[in-house]
Amino acid sequence: MIAGWIASGLLLAYGAMVALCLGLDRHYRQVWGIAATLGRYRLLRGVGWLGLSVSLLCMVAAWGWAMGPVAWIGALSVAGLVLTLALPWWPRMAVASAIGGPLLSSAVALAWVLG
Amino acid sequence: MKQTFTQAMAWLHTWAGLIIGWLLFAVFLTGTLAVFDAEIDHWMQPEIHSTPVSQLDAAQRALSYLGDHHADAKSWGISLPTERSPGLTVSTGDRRSGTRVELDPASGAVIQPRETAGGSFFFRFHFTLNLPRTFGVWLVGGLALVMLATLVSGIIIHKKFFKEFFTFRPGKGQRSWLDFHNASAVLMLPFHFMIAYTGLVIFLLMYMPAAVDSLFKGDTQAYAKAAGNARQETPRGDGGRGQPALPANLTDLAPVFAEAEQRMGPLAGLTVLNPGTSAMRLQVRPVLGNRIELSKGLNMEFDGVSGKLLKDVTPSRASLLTQKVMAGLHFAQFGGYPLRWLYFVCGLLSCAMIASGLVLFCVKRRRKLADKPVHVQRWHRVAEVLNITSIAGLSIACVGLLWANRLLPVALEQRAGHETTLFFVLWTTSLVHASLLPTLQAWRQQLASAAVLCLLLPVLGLFGPGHDLQRLYLELAAVGIGLLLLVAIRRIDRKVAQAGSAAVNAKVLGAKS
């Protein structure tokens, strides 16, 4: 269970970073080649911050309120850097991988509710 | 005005970063390795086997050994096998005059592990740079302070910070180095601040003794007493009421362990005071890291004959708790292996941040160098050589310490000292090598040596005694680092190829015109 929460927290941090990244004009163009509307940028940033919050909750579920936030900050840094380094080589793939976080964390949360 | 302020910050960042960067990289690399100090210790003592044995059984074997060999000692110490260090160590007396013996936790037989500098070498090097302790701690503290200043000045000069948050443009020379330096610094900023600041807080009393000096008039023992971590007095062996101590048997350990474990989490060891007498006391201590607060010195005390709890753990006072929590954040003893790995990866990325900053300094100046006066060129060369030595050379020396551990004869006198000497010999050789060869070639050869030493570590392990999963993980991690180094070497090769073709093009163009 703890491993599930940790993995969810990490993947969600990555997914949130992808959303925040696409919420920036420069990076949205980098991935899709065109600009998006201001509304979409705002939506993406909103999703990003939401993802970061849920990621924090996962880390707290794994480690508690004392240690969880420390682990969360570490997870954010690593996720952001992985995205930054992947973006120039595999931009679409880097974005597509963001789906793993929500999927896994839903599965873990479901298992937690049922079990 | 704004322009000049940014320029001043850029100047500060460049030169302060360069001067502290060389040593700071060493502090960060050895600190990153020290995250796994117990695991490296274990790898470097292959005579110790990890066996699945309960702490209670191991403690019984230790006690029967101590009863047979040191029945008249004033105190017995036992370090129990734990998740991180599977060995069983017994000791008598205090750390200096007493004896220490390593036992096999499964059989209780005496084993003689090789003498080694161990992972503790990296730990000590991390905060003293192997200099005399006080001087080293002050120097590393100074580095941490300047690092905080370079972080702040770095943020100020990197103005486009939020707009280019995830920007990395590879294959563009100087631009790529700058992008990587920015990304790794900005994204890891909370970690950098936390680690530099908490590092300073650990030695708070040494750096800022004024408060304790004035409150306790320089009496550090009185301070320690007030802070609640005074050394406990050993009860005299007279039963406490003037009666002579009578021979007595030790209480059943199972309920004692159960109570202590329930209160403090996993246990690390115990001390028996006045063993074999009616004045017997049992002190049980937990492993560091059942909570963030660094729980060094924390223990529970039991009556050795009746098993009654005499002294419970006391919660720390707020000011002390703050300091201990900060130290705990730095030491990464909490949160088990997942958090340890997270710190390790973050630490490696910090090393990469520092290294990219150092390389950037030289890359930026390389192109215009030909037009500069000779003394500028000489100083540039010094910077290049020191970069190679402090980054690639130190990496060779670190993995070289593991090789020295297996290759030096087991029975060598002063073995640990020879291992350390080899570490410094390798580092010095790197300096000489870097100053004799052209820059890129020296980089390439030294990184390749470090990569080969890392990649072949499992082979070295295979030929020695003592194979277990923990050692295998360490070797696999070394292989991973070796592969990363290979990536770095490939980039240098491409750079050399580019430079080569550029030179050819220039010649062809020159011939045409």
Side-chain angles (χ1 to χ4, degrees), chain A residues 6 10 17-18 20-21 24 26-27 30 63 66-67 70-78 80-81 83-85 87-89, chain B residues 162-170 180 183-184 187-188 190 290-292 329 334-335 338-339 342-343 345-346 349 491:
Chain A
I6 295 174
L10 269 170
M17 281 295 182
V18 168
L20 285 174
C21 173
L24 294 171
R26 180 198 164 90
H27 294 298
Q30 182 185 4
W63 272 300
M67 303 172 188
V70 182
W72 178 65
I73 288 174
L76 288 190
S77 306
V78 174
L81 209 59
L83 174 62
T84 306
L85 294 182
L87 217 48
W89 280 287
Chain B
F162 277 114
K163 258 189 185 165
E164 301 186 341
F165 210 71
F166 300 94
T167 304
F168 177 55
R169 288 156 285 189
F180 182 81
S184 54
L187 285 161
M188 306 284 300
N290 299 322
R291 50 186 88 188
I292 291 189
L329 274 177
F334 61 98
L339 214 84
L342 197 60
Y343 265 67
V345 171
C346 287
L349 291 172
R491 302 218 69 82

Short mmCIF file of all heavy atoms in Angstrom, two decimals, chain A residues 6 10 17-18 20-21 24 26-27 30 63 66-67 70-78 80-81 83-85 87-89, chain B residues 162-170 180 183-184 187-188 190 290-292 329 334-335 338-339 342-343 345-346 349 491:
data_model
loop_
_atom_site.label_atom_id
_atom_site.label_comp_id
_atom_site.label_asym_id
_atom_site.label_seq_id
_atom_site.Cartn_x
_atom_site.Cartn_y
_atom_site.Cartn_z
N ILE A 6 3.43 5.95 -2.69
CA ILE A 6 4.65 6.64 -3.10
C ILE A 6 4.71 6.75 -4.62
O ILE A 6 4.97 7.83 -5.17
CB ILE A 6 5.90 5.90 -2.57
CG1 ILE A 6 5.93 5.95 -1.04
CG2 ILE A 6 7.17 6.51 -3.13
CD1 ILE A 6 7.02 5.12 -0.42
N LEU A 10 4.67 10.18 -6.87
CA LEU A 10 5.71 10.52 -7.83
C LEU A 10 5.12 10.77 -9.22
O LEU A 10 5.40 11.78 -9.86
CB LEU A 10 6.73 9.38 -7.91
CG LEU A 10 7.93 9.46 -6.97
CD1 LEU A 10 8.70 8.14 -7.01
CD2 LEU A 10 8.85 10.60 -7.37
N MET A 17 3.43 18.42 -13.29
CA MET A 17 4.48 19.21 -13.92
C MET A 17 4.23 19.34 -15.43
O MET A 17 4.46 20.40 -16.02
CB MET A 17 5.85 18.58 -13.68
CG MET A 17 6.40 18.86 -12.29
SD MET A 17 6.72 20.61 -12.08
CE MET A 17 7.40 20.69 -10.46
N VAL A 18 3.75 18.25 -16.05
CA VAL A 18 3.44 18.30 -17.48
C VAL A 18 2.33 19.32 -17.73
O VAL A 18 2.42 20.15 -18.64
CB VAL A 18 3.01 16.90 -17.99
CG1 VAL A 18 2.41 17.00 -19.38
CG2 VAL A 18 4.20 15.96 -18.00
N LEU A 20 1.48 21.91 -15.84
CA LEU A 20 2.00 23.27 -15.62
C LEU A 20 2.87 23.71 -16.79
O LEU A 20 2.84 24.86 -17.21
CB LEU A 20 2.81 23.30 -14.33
CG LEU A 20 2.00 23.28 -13.03
CD1 LEU A 20 2.93 23.17 -11.84
CD2 LEU A 20 1.16 24.54 -12.92
N CYS A 21 3.63 22.75 -17.32
CA CYS A 21 4.53 23.03 -18.43
C CYS A 21 3.73 23.45 -19.66
O CYS A 21 4.02 24.44 -20.31
CB CYS A 21 5.36 21.78 -18.70
SG CYS A 21 6.38 21.85 -20.14
N LEU A 24 2.33 26.93 -20.08
CA LEU A 24 3.21 28.03 -20.48
C LEU A 24 3.27 28.06 -22.01
O LEU A 24 3.53 27.04 -22.65
CB LEU A 24 4.63 27.83 -19.91
CG LEU A 24 4.75 27.91 -18.39
CD1 LEU A 24 6.15 27.48 -17.95
CD2 LEU A 24 4.46 29.32 -17.91
N ARG A 26 5.33 29.13 -24.26
CA ARG A 26 6.56 28.68 -24.89
C ARG A 26 6.63 27.16 -25.01
O ARG A 26 7.02 26.62 -26.04
CB ARG A 26 7.71 29.19 -24.03
CG ARG A 26 9.04 28.83 -24.53
CD ARG A 26 10.07 28.98 -23.45
NE ARG A 26 11.21 28.24 -23.93
CZ ARG A 26 12.16 28.78 -24.65
NH1 ARG A 26 12.16 30.06 -24.88
NH2 ARG A 26 13.14 28.04 -25.12
N HIS A 27 6.24 26.46 -23.95
CA HIS A 27 6.34 25.01 -23.94
C HIS A 27 5.17 24.37 -24.69
O HIS A 27 5.32 23.30 -25.28
CB HIS A 27 6.43 24.50 -22.51
CG HIS A 27 7.68 24.93 -21.82
ND1 HIS A 27 8.92 24.56 -22.26
CD2 HIS A 27 7.90 25.72 -20.75
CE1 HIS A 27 9.85 25.10 -21.49
NE2 HIS A 27 9.25 25.82 -20.56
N GLN A 30 6.18 24.37 -28.10
CA GLN A 30 7.27 23.40 -28.28
C GLN A 30 6.70 22.01 -28.55
O GLN A 30 7.23 21.26 -29.36
CB GLN A 30 8.14 23.39 -27.01
CG GLN A 30 9.34 22.47 -27.09
CD GLN A 30 10.09 22.40 -25.77
OE1 GLN A 30 9.66 22.99 -24.77
NE2 GLN A 30 11.19 21.69 -25.76
N TRP A 63 3.68 8.72 4.22
CA TRP A 63 4.68 9.03 5.25
C TRP A 63 4.15 9.81 6.45
O TRP A 63 4.88 10.07 7.38
CB TRP A 63 5.82 9.84 4.62
CG TRP A 63 6.90 8.99 4.03
CD1 TRP A 63 7.67 8.09 4.71
CD2 TRP A 63 7.37 8.97 2.68
NE1 TRP A 63 8.58 7.51 3.85
CE2 TRP A 63 8.41 8.04 2.61
CE3 TRP A 63 7.00 9.65 1.53
CZ2 TRP A 63 9.10 7.76 1.43
CZ3 TRP A 63 7.69 9.38 0.36
CH2 TRP A 63 8.72 8.44 0.31
N ALA A 66 4.41 14.72 9.03
CA ALA A 66 5.74 15.22 9.37
C ALA A 66 6.71 15.03 8.21
O ALA A 66 7.44 15.94 7.83
CB ALA A 66 6.25 14.53 10.62
N MET A 67 6.72 13.82 7.63
CA MET A 67 7.73 13.50 6.62
C MET A 67 7.20 13.67 5.20
O MET A 67 7.97 13.92 4.28
CB MET A 67 8.21 12.07 6.82
CG MET A 67 8.75 11.81 8.20
SD MET A 67 9.09 10.06 8.42
CE MET A 67 9.46 10.00 10.16
N VAL A 70 8.28 16.71 3.04
CA VAL A 70 9.69 16.67 2.65
C VAL A 70 9.86 15.80 1.41
O VAL A 70 10.50 16.18 0.42
CB VAL A 70 10.56 16.12 3.79
CG1 VAL A 70 12.02 16.14 3.39
CG2 VAL A 70 10.35 16.92 5.06
N ALA A 71 9.23 14.60 1.48
CA ALA A 71 9.30 13.68 0.35
C ALA A 71 8.66 14.31 -0.89
O ALA A 71 9.15 14.15 -2.00
CB ALA A 71 8.60 12.38 0.70
N TRP A 72 7.57 15.07 -0.67
CA TRP A 72 6.85 15.69 -1.78
C TRP A 72 7.74 16.68 -2.52
O TRP A 72 7.80 16.68 -3.76
CB TRP A 72 5.60 16.37 -1.22
CG TRP A 72 4.76 17.09 -2.21
CD1 TRP A 72 4.07 16.52 -3.25
CD2 TRP A 72 4.51 18.49 -2.27
NE1 TRP A 72 3.39 17.49 -3.95
CE2 TRP A 72 3.64 18.72 -3.38
CE3 TRP A 72 4.91 19.58 -1.51
CZ2 TRP A 72 3.19 19.98 -3.71
CZ3 TRP A 72 4.45 20.84 -1.84
CH2 TRP A 72 3.60 21.04 -2.94
N ILE A 73 8.45 17.51 -1.75
CA ILE A 73 9.33 18.50 -2.39
C ILE A 73 10.41 17.81 -3.22
O ILE A 73 10.69 18.20 -4.35
CB ILE A 73 9.96 19.42 -1.32
CG1 ILE A 73 8.88 20.34 -0.77
CG2 ILE A 73 11.10 20.23 -1.89
CD1 ILE A 73 9.33 21.19 0.38
N GLY A 74 10.94 16.72 -2.66
CA GLY A 74 11.93 15.95 -3.41
C GLY A 74 11.32 15.40 -4.69
O GLY A 74 11.92 15.47 -5.77
N ALA A 75 10.09 14.85 -4.58
CA ALA A 75 9.42 14.25 -5.74
C ALA A 75 9.18 15.31 -6.81
O ALA A 75 9.39 15.06 -8.01
CB ALA A 75 8.10 13.63 -5.31
N LEU A 76 8.76 16.51 -6.41
CA LEU A 76 8.53 17.60 -7.36
C LEU A 76 9.80 17.91 -8.15
O LEU A 76 9.77 18.06 -9.37
CB LEU A 76 8.11 18.88 -6.62
CG LEU A 76 6.73 18.93 -6.02
CD1 LEU A 76 6.43 20.34 -5.57
CD2 LEU A 76 5.72 18.47 -7.03
N SER A 77 10.92 18.03 -7.41
CA SER A 77 12.17 18.39 -8.06
C SER A 77 12.55 17.34 -9.10
O SER A 77 12.87 17.67 -10.25
CB SER A 77 13.29 18.49 -7.02
OG SER A 77 12.91 19.38 -6.01
N VAL A 78 12.50 16.07 -8.67
CA VAL A 78 12.92 15.01 -9.58
C VAL A 78 11.99 14.95 -10.79
O VAL A 78 12.44 14.87 -11.95
CB VAL A 78 12.97 13.66 -8.84
CG1 VAL A 78 13.27 12.54 -9.81
CG2 VAL A 78 14.01 13.70 -7.74
N GLY A 80 10.12 17.33 -12.11
CA GLY A 80 10.34 18.48 -12.98
C GLY A 80 11.58 18.32 -13.83
O GLY A 80 11.59 18.62 -15.02
N LEU A 81 12.64 17.80 -13.21
CA LEU A 81 13.90 17.67 -13.95
C LEU A 81 13.81 16.58 -15.01
O LEU A 81 14.33 16.74 -16.12
CB LEU A 81 15.03 17.39 -12.97
CG LEU A 81 16.38 17.91 -13.44
CD1 LEU A 81 16.32 19.41 -13.66
CD2 LEU A 81 17.46 17.58 -12.44
N LEU A 83 11.13 15.72 -16.60
CA LEU A 83 10.34 16.31 -17.70
C LEU A 83 11.21 17.24 -18.54
O LEU A 83 11.20 17.17 -19.78
CB LEU A 83 9.14 17.07 -17.12
CG LEU A 83 8.32 17.86 -18.13
CD1 LEU A 83 7.70 16.94 -19.16
CD2 LEU A 83 7.23 18.66 -17.42
N THR A 84 11.99 18.10 -17.87
CA THR A 84 12.83 19.06 -18.58
C THR A 84 13.81 18.36 -19.52
O THR A 84 14.03 18.79 -20.64
CB THR A 84 13.62 19.92 -17.57
OG1 THR A 84 12.68 20.49 -16.67
CG2 THR A 84 14.39 21.01 -18.25
N LEU A 85 14.39 17.25 -19.02
CA LEU A 85 15.39 16.56 -19.82
C LEU A 85 14.74 15.73 -20.93
O LEU A 85 15.35 15.50 -21.98
CB LEU A 85 16.26 15.67 -18.93
CG LEU A 85 17.13 16.43 -17.93
CD1 LEU A 85 17.99 15.47 -17.14
CD2 LEU A 85 18.01 17.45 -18.63
N LEU A 87 11.82 16.51 -22.51
CA LEU A 87 11.07 17.37 -23.42
C LEU A 87 11.74 17.60 -24.79
O LEU A 87 11.09 17.47 -25.82
CB LEU A 87 10.77 18.70 -22.72
CG LEU A 87 9.42 19.35 -23.01
CD1 LEU A 87 8.28 18.37 -22.87
CD2 LEU A 87 9.22 20.52 -22.05
N PRO A 88 13.04 17.94 -24.85
CA PRO A 88 13.62 18.21 -26.16
C PRO A 88 13.70 16.98 -27.06
O PRO A 88 13.63 17.11 -28.28
CB PRO A 88 15.02 18.75 -25.84
CG PRO A 88 15.26 18.48 -24.42
CD PRO A 88 13.95 18.27 -23.76
N TRP A 89 13.82 15.80 -26.50
CA TRP A 89 13.98 14.61 -27.33
C TRP A 89 12.65 13.95 -27.67
O TRP A 89 12.41 13.57 -28.79
CB TRP A 89 14.91 13.59 -26.64
CG TRP A 89 16.34 13.94 -26.82
CD1 TRP A 89 17.08 13.82 -27.96
CD2 TRP A 89 17.22 14.49 -25.83
NE1 TRP A 89 18.36 14.25 -27.74
CE2 TRP A 89 18.49 14.66 -26.46
CE3 TRP A 89 17.08 14.84 -24.49
CZ2 TRP A 89 19.58 15.18 -25.78
CZ3 TRP A 89 18.17 15.35 -23.83
CH2 TRP A 89 19.40 15.52 -24.47
N PHE B 162 10.54 31.97 -14.62
CA PHE B 162 9.24 31.31 -14.71
C PHE B 162 8.82 31.03 -16.13
O PHE B 162 8.22 30.01 -16.42
CB PHE B 162 8.16 32.15 -14.00
CG PHE B 162 8.15 31.91 -12.54
CD1 PHE B 162 8.50 32.93 -11.65
CD2 PHE B 162 7.83 30.66 -12.01
CE1 PHE B 162 8.51 32.70 -10.29
CE2 PHE B 162 7.85 30.43 -10.65
CZ PHE B 162 8.19 31.45 -9.79
N LYS B 163 9.18 31.97 -17.04
CA LYS B 163 8.78 31.79 -18.44
C LYS B 163 9.45 30.58 -19.06
O LYS B 163 8.88 29.91 -19.91
CB LYS B 163 9.19 33.04 -19.23
CG LYS B 163 8.05 33.98 -19.51
CD LYS B 163 8.54 35.02 -20.49
CE LYS B 163 7.51 36.09 -20.76
NZ LYS B 163 8.13 37.25 -21.40
N GLU B 164 10.67 30.31 -18.64
CA GLU B 164 11.44 29.22 -19.26
C GLU B 164 11.66 28.10 -18.28
O GLU B 164 12.72 27.50 -18.23
CB GLU B 164 12.81 29.75 -19.72
CG GLU B 164 12.72 30.88 -20.69
CD GLU B 164 14.09 31.25 -21.22
OE1 GLU B 164 15.08 30.89 -20.58
OE2 GLU B 164 14.14 31.90 -22.28
N PHE B 165 10.63 27.82 -17.49
CA PHE B 165 10.81 26.91 -16.37
C PHE B 165 11.36 25.54 -16.78
O PHE B 165 12.19 24.98 -16.11
CB PHE B 165 9.47 26.73 -15.66
CG PHE B 165 9.59 26.47 -14.20
CD1 PHE B 165 10.00 27.47 -13.34
CD2 PHE B 165 9.33 25.21 -13.69
CE1 PHE B 165 10.12 27.22 -11.98
CE2 PHE B 165 9.46 24.97 -12.34
CZ PHE B 165 9.84 25.98 -11.49
N PHE B 166 10.86 25.02 -17.89
CA PHE B 166 11.22 23.64 -18.27
C PHE B 166 12.15 23.62 -19.48
O PHE B 166 12.19 22.65 -20.22
CB PHE B 166 9.97 22.84 -18.59
CG PHE B 166 9.01 22.74 -17.43
CD1 PHE B 166 7.96 23.64 -17.29
CD2 PHE B 166 9.16 21.74 -16.48
CE1 PHE B 166 7.08 23.54 -16.23
CE2 PHE B 166 8.28 21.65 -15.42
CZ PHE B 166 7.24 22.55 -15.28
N THR B 167 12.92 24.70 -19.69
CA THR B 167 13.68 24.79 -20.93
C THR B 167 15.02 24.08 -20.85
O THR B 167 15.80 24.31 -19.94
CB THR B 167 13.94 26.27 -21.28
OG1 THR B 167 12.67 26.93 -21.34
CG2 THR B 167 14.66 26.40 -22.58
N PHE B 168 15.25 23.18 -21.83
CA PHE B 168 16.56 22.57 -21.99
C PHE B 168 16.79 22.38 -23.49
O PHE B 168 16.00 21.72 -24.16
CB PHE B 168 16.62 21.24 -21.26
CG PHE B 168 17.93 20.53 -21.44
CD1 PHE B 168 19.12 21.16 -21.13
CD2 PHE B 168 17.97 19.23 -21.94
CE1 PHE B 168 20.33 20.52 -21.31
CE2 PHE B 168 19.18 18.58 -22.12
CZ PHE B 168 20.36 19.22 -21.81
N ARG B 169 17.82 23.03 -24.02
CA ARG B 169 18.11 22.91 -25.45
C ARG B 169 19.43 22.17 -25.63
O ARG B 169 20.49 22.77 -25.48
CB ARG B 169 18.18 24.30 -26.09
CG ARG B 169 16.82 24.96 -26.22
CD ARG B 169 16.91 26.46 -26.29
NE ARG B 169 17.21 27.04 -24.99
CZ ARG B 169 17.19 28.35 -24.73
NH1 ARG B 169 16.92 29.20 -25.67
NH2 ARG B 169 17.45 28.79 -23.52
N PRO B 170 19.36 20.85 -25.90
CA PRO B 170 20.60 20.05 -25.95
C PRO B 170 21.38 20.29 -27.24
O PRO B 170 20.83 20.80 -28.23
CB PRO B 170 20.08 18.62 -25.91
CG PRO B 170 18.71 18.69 -26.47
CD PRO B 170 18.16 20.04 -26.12
N PHE B 180 20.93 23.57 -18.59
CA PHE B 180 20.95 22.49 -17.60
C PHE B 180 21.26 23.04 -16.21
O PHE B 180 20.63 22.65 -15.22
CB PHE B 180 21.99 21.43 -17.97
CG PHE B 180 22.01 20.29 -16.99
CD1 PHE B 180 21.08 19.28 -17.09
CD2 PHE B 180 22.93 20.26 -15.95
CE1 PHE B 180 21.06 18.25 -16.17
CE2 PHE B 180 22.92 19.23 -15.03
CZ PHE B 180 21.98 18.22 -15.14
N ALA B 183 18.03 24.78 -15.02
CA ALA B 183 16.93 23.85 -14.72
C ALA B 183 17.23 23.07 -13.44
O ALA B 183 16.38 22.97 -12.55
CB ALA B 183 16.71 22.89 -15.89
N SER B 184 18.46 22.53 -13.33
CA SER B 184 18.75 21.71 -12.16
C SER B 184 18.78 22.57 -10.90
O SER B 184 18.42 22.12 -9.82
CB SER B 184 20.06 20.95 -12.33
OG SER B 184 21.10 21.84 -12.66
N LEU B 187 14.72 23.88 -10.34
CA LEU B 187 13.79 22.81 -9.94
C LEU B 187 14.17 22.20 -8.61
O LEU B 187 13.33 21.74 -7.87
CB LEU B 187 13.74 21.74 -11.04
CG LEU B 187 12.94 22.18 -12.25
CD1 LEU B 187 13.27 21.33 -13.46
CD2 LEU B 187 11.45 22.10 -11.95
N MET B 188 15.47 22.19 -8.31
CA MET B 188 15.91 21.58 -7.05
C MET B 188 16.09 22.63 -5.95
O MET B 188 16.66 22.33 -4.91
CB MET B 188 17.25 20.86 -7.25
CG MET B 188 17.28 19.85 -8.36
SD MET B 188 16.46 18.36 -7.88
CE MET B 188 17.44 17.89 -6.50
N PRO B 190 14.27 24.08 -3.60
CA PRO B 190 13.91 23.78 -2.21
C PRO B 190 14.91 22.82 -1.56
O PRO B 190 15.28 23.01 -0.41
CB PRO B 190 12.53 23.12 -2.34
CG PRO B 190 12.01 23.54 -3.65
CD PRO B 190 13.19 23.76 -4.53
N ASN B 290 13.07 6.82 13.33
CA ASN B 290 11.67 6.44 13.40
C ASN B 290 10.80 7.69 13.33
O ASN B 290 9.59 7.63 13.27
CB ASN B 290 11.38 5.68 14.67
CG ASN B 290 12.18 4.40 14.73
OD1 ASN B 290 12.37 3.76 13.71
ND2 ASN B 290 12.69 4.05 15.89
N ARG B 291 11.45 8.83 13.42
CA ARG B 291 10.78 10.11 13.25
C ARG B 291 11.81 11.05 12.64
O ARG B 291 12.97 10.69 12.52
CB ARG B 291 10.33 10.64 14.61
CG ARG B 291 11.46 10.60 15.64
CD ARG B 291 10.99 10.98 16.99
NE ARG B 291 10.50 9.82 17.72
CZ ARG B 291 9.88 9.91 18.89
NH1 ARG B 291 9.64 11.06 19.42
NH2 ARG B 291 9.50 8.83 19.51
N ILE B 292 11.37 12.27 12.23
CA ILE B 292 12.34 13.17 11.58
C ILE B 292 13.39 13.62 12.59
O ILE B 292 14.57 13.67 12.31
CB ILE B 292 11.65 14.42 10.99
CG1 ILE B 292 10.79 14.02 9.81
CG2 ILE B 292 12.70 15.41 10.52
CD1 ILE B 292 10.26 15.19 9.03
N LEU B 329 16.33 16.28 9.09
CA LEU B 329 16.05 16.54 7.67
C LEU B 329 17.31 16.40 6.85
O LEU B 329 17.30 15.93 5.73
CB LEU B 329 15.53 17.98 7.51
CG LEU B 329 14.05 18.22 7.70
CD1 LEU B 329 13.76 19.70 7.57
CD2 LEU B 329 13.27 17.44 6.69
N PHE B 334 15.08 9.26 8.29
CA PHE B 334 13.67 8.91 8.44
C PHE B 334 13.12 8.47 7.08
O PHE B 334 13.69 8.76 6.05
CB PHE B 334 12.89 10.13 8.94
CG PHE B 334 12.94 11.30 8.00
CD1 PHE B 334 11.90 11.54 7.12
CD2 PHE B 334 14.03 12.14 7.97
CE1 PHE B 334 11.95 12.60 6.24
CE2 PHE B 334 14.08 13.21 7.09
CZ PHE B 334 13.04 13.43 6.21
N GLY B 335 11.97 7.76 7.14
CA GLY B 335 11.29 7.45 5.88
C GLY B 335 11.82 6.24 5.14
O GLY B 335 11.38 5.96 4.04
N PRO B 338 12.84 4.29 0.55
CA PRO B 338 12.35 5.18 -0.51
C PRO B 338 12.89 6.59 -0.35
O PRO B 338 13.36 7.20 -1.32
CB PRO B 338 10.83 5.15 -0.33
CG PRO B 338 10.55 3.85 0.32
CD PRO B 338 11.72 3.57 1.20
N LEU B 339 12.87 7.10 0.87
CA LEU B 339 13.34 8.47 1.08
C LEU B 339 14.85 8.58 0.92
O LEU B 339 15.38 9.58 0.42
CB LEU B 339 12.93 8.97 2.46
CG LEU B 339 12.65 10.47 2.37
CD1 LEU B 339 11.24 10.69 1.88
CD2 LEU B 339 12.88 11.15 3.66
N LEU B 342 15.48 8.88 -2.64
CA LEU B 342 15.11 10.22 -3.10
C LEU B 342 16.23 11.22 -2.78
O LEU B 342 16.62 12.03 -3.62
CB LEU B 342 13.81 10.64 -2.41
CG LEU B 342 13.06 11.80 -3.03
CD1 LEU B 342 12.67 11.48 -4.46
CD2 LEU B 342 11.81 12.11 -2.22
N TYR B 343 16.77 11.13 -1.57
CA TYR B 343 17.88 12.02 -1.19
C TYR B 343 19.10 11.74 -2.06
O TYR B 343 19.81 12.66 -2.45
CB TYR B 343 18.25 11.81 0.28
CG TYR B 343 17.58 12.78 1.22
CD1 TYR B 343 16.21 12.74 1.42
CD2 TYR B 343 18.31 13.73 1.92
CE1 TYR B 343 15.59 13.61 2.29
CE2 TYR B 343 17.70 14.61 2.79
CZ TYR B 343 16.34 14.55 2.97
OH TYR B 343 15.73 15.42 3.84
N VAL B 345 19.19 10.55 -5.17
CA VAL B 345 18.98 11.10 -6.52
C VAL B 345 19.08 12.63 -6.49
O VAL B 345 19.76 13.23 -7.32
CB VAL B 345 17.61 10.65 -7.08
CG1 VAL B 345 17.29 11.39 -8.37
CG2 VAL B 345 17.60 9.16 -7.31
N CYS B 346 18.42 13.25 -5.49
CA CYS B 346 18.51 14.71 -5.37
C CYS B 346 19.95 15.14 -5.18
O CYS B 346 20.40 16.14 -5.76
CB CYS B 346 17.66 15.20 -4.20
SG CYS B 346 15.90 15.14 -4.52
N LEU B 349 21.79 15.02 -8.42
CA LEU B 349 21.39 16.14 -9.27
C LEU B 349 22.05 17.44 -8.79
O LEU B 349 22.43 18.29 -9.61
CB LEU B 349 19.87 16.28 -9.29
CG LEU B 349 19.15 15.14 -10.02
CD1 LEU B 349 17.65 15.25 -9.84
CD2 LEU B 349 19.51 15.15 -11.49
N ARG B 491 29.01 12.53 -25.14
CA ARG B 491 28.82 13.94 -25.48
C ARG B 491 30.17 14.61 -25.77
O ARG B 491 30.28 15.44 -26.68
CB ARG B 491 28.10 14.68 -24.36
CG ARG B 491 26.76 14.11 -24.02
CD ARG B 491 25.76 15.18 -23.70
NE ARG B 491 25.39 15.95 -24.87
CZ ARG B 491 24.48 15.57 -25.76
NH1 ARG B 491 23.86 14.42 -25.62
NH2 ARG B 491 24.21 16.31 -26.80
#
